[in-house]
Amino acid sequence: MKISKHRVAILDYTLTGEDGQVIDESHDGSFSYLHGAGNIIPGLEKALDGRKSGESLRVVIEAADAYGERDPARIQRVPRDRFPPAADLQAGMRFQAQSQEGHPQVVMLTAIEGPDIIVDANHPLAGRRLHFDVTILSVRSAKKEEITHRHVHGPGGHHH
Ligand code: ZN
């Protein structure tokens, strides 16, 4: 069966950066997604369209078709006194904050500069060109409920 809209594919993959370092991988058949629902990055979804179960492919995806370009406007300087005084703040910490539009978002504390904290709301993989080695393990039709929910249910998917 071919991958197309409203089908579920189970994949094994290795994601590496330009430097060849492994960023993420899944090799036990536990990763699945619903095609055509924006479950995965656009460049990978495009590359998988029409591919058959059993196929392996290697794709390089530019940042714009992956997690987007890095936006300098999403890096902000925040006064230390906006954080709880007792908090043990360190570079690399992630926490939930509110965007200027009031949406919850995950930001990373990237540096402490005197009385200021530098936080970055860009996706950790923003601005990066990504390499995917993918093997398509199986493809099936999605259930009605999965199409409605826009995600996979059962093994490798949501349980609810
Ligand atoms: Zn659901």
Side-chain angles (χ1 to χ4, degrees):
M1 195 180 250
K2 279 186 180 170
I3 296 180
S4 64
K5 193 172 164 77
H6 295 167
R7 285 184 178 162
V8 171
I10 299 179
L11 313 175
D12 276 355
Y13 68 88
T14 303
L15 164 60
T16 48
E18 284 287 90
D19 51 5
Q21 269 221 324
V22 175
I23 296 166
D24 188 20
E25 58 187 329
S26 176
H27 294 291
D28 56 3
S30 66
F31 179 82
S32 63
Y33 81 100
L34 174 63
H35 194 76
N39 289 176
I40 59 175
I41 56 172
L44 186 58
E45 191 157 53
K46 209 182 297 167
L48 287 166
D49 195 67
R51 300 296 192 131
K52 292 194 291 282
S53 106
E55 272 190 78
S56 291
L57 57 152
R58 158 159 262 231
V59 270
V60 179
I61 300 170
E62 301 299 330
D65 288 324
Y67 292 94
E69 303 293 350
R70 278 180 71 77
D71 179 2
R74 306 197 73 191
I75 301 170
Q76 285 188 302
R77 186 174 282 271
V78 181
R80 171 67 179 84
D81 58 21
R82 294 255 294 270
F83 293 83
D88 177 24
L89 300 177
Q90 282 170 21
M93 288 173 77
R94 295 181 166 283
F95 48 90
Q96 190 106 72
Q98 251 187 11
S99 71
Q100 274 158 337
E101 301 83 43
H103 305 300
Q105 61 178 6
V106 176
V107 300
M108 186 164 89
L109 196 167
T110 54
I112 299 170
E113 291 179 0
D116 293 335
I117 306 295
I118 312 300
V119 295
D120 186 349
N122 284 291
H123 187 281
L125 295 177
R128 294 185 66 176
R129 174 193 275 168
L130 303 176
H131 298 242
F132 278 92
D133 281 292
V134 181
T135 300
I136 302 159
L137 300 179
S138 67
V139 182
R140 64 166 169 86
S141 296
K143 297 180 203 103
K144 248 196 190 134
E145 202 188 38
E146 292 175 314
I147 295 167
T148 310
H149 289 195
R150 299 182 68 80
H151 58 224
V152 176
H153 289 165
H158 288 242
H159 299 267
H160 63 113

